[in-house]
Amino acid sequence: MSRGVPFSAVLRGEWTKLRTVRSTWWCSAVYVVVVQAFSWLAASVADRAPTAGVAVATALTGFGFGQVVVVVLGVLVGAGEHTTGMAVASYAAVPRRTRLQVARTVVVGVLVAVLTAVLAVGCALAARLQTAVPGGVDLADPSVLRPLGLQVLSAVALAVLGVAAGTMLRSTAGGVGLCLALVLVVPVILAADGAEWSERLGEAMPALRVGEDAFLVGAASWSVGLVVCATWALGAWAIGAVLLERRDV
């Protein structure tokens, strides 16, 4: 493949790589099972809710656990070829490494977005069928659609962060460890400290999000939380792209 090959061909190549490795399907399967299991369980336990938004937010709880799998998938995509040695062939085929990295990120981002959108609808159905709400849960209600859309965006941001970490460290274990520290461990530790400065610092970390809310800790406002996650993801991705261009294979 030469530099003149259309970007669509690079995308197709990356999609072929992604769908032909077992880890992709294992991660997808675990993501589906974990999110739906916890979401339907949460919806059945919270059998009543004052509003449709509250019912849906409760049903989205499964994403708090399932997004860990999204992080792992992103890291596997970013680091996979470096751990197997296939990066040599890939960069020979597509010398412009950033171009390849863009295609790789787009492919995994679309996959995560589609999976998350389907799962989010499943969570909304769980709330509609198992949680008693005055007036019911209307899937076209803005208070329902907004957290579902935010969940998709949050999952994509985590996938991009995972790709970036895998690219920077070229290690699956290191990338997963770094990402989980950023989204799960460090925010909780900072929040537990109790000091105002540590709480502020914790809110600036890319903590896991569930719809409009932080999963454990994080920025209270969904808009701030989304900006924080996106900033970390894009910033880390840019650093990873620079390192990718400057390093040897």
Side-chain angles (χ1 to χ4, degrees), residues 33-44:
V33 171
V34 170
V35 170
Q36 289 297 282
F38 279 101
S39 294
W40 282 78
L41 178 62
S44 64

Side-chain angles (χ1 to χ4, degrees), residues 39-40 42-44 46-60 120-148:
S39 294
W40 282 78
S44 64
D47 57 346
R48 294 182 181 276
T51 65
V54 173
V56 171
T58 301
L60 289 173
V121 172
C123 294
L125 289 175
R128 183 174 184 173
L129 295 175
Q130 299 197 81
T131 306
V133 178
V137 176
D138 183 3
L139 297 182
D141 189 333
S143 66
V144 173
L145 289 176
R146 184 172 59 249
L148 300 187

Side-chain angles (χ1 to χ4, degrees), residues 1-6 9-13 90-95 99-100:
M1 188 180 294
S2 65
R3 295 183 62 179
V5 173
V10 183
L11 282 174
R12 287 195 299 271
S90 294
Y91 299 147
V94 185
R99 192 167 181 248
L100 185 65

Side-chain angles (χ1 to χ4, degrees), residues 17 79-92 170 249:
K17 294 177 189 176
E81 290 193 343
H82 294 101
T83 58
T84 62
M86 286 298 295
V88 176
S90 294
Y91 299 147
R170 296 187 172 185
V249 178

Side-chain angles (χ1 to χ4, degrees), residues 56-122:
V56 171
T58 301
L60 289 173
T61 302
F63 280 105
F65 305 97
Q67 287 173 116
V68 173
V69 184
V70 172
V71 171
V72 173
L73 178 59
V75 172
L76 287 172
V77 171
E81 290 193 343
H82 294 101
T83 58
T84 62
M86 286 298 295
V88 176
S90 294
Y91 299 147
V94 185
R96 294 174 59 186
R97 298 183 183 183
T98 300
R99 192 167 181 248
L100 185 65
Q101 184 75 348
V102 170
R104 186 176 293 155
T105 307
V106 168
V107 167
V108 71
V110 170
L111 174 62
V112 168
V114 171
L115 280 175
T116 305
V118 172
L119 291 174
V121 172

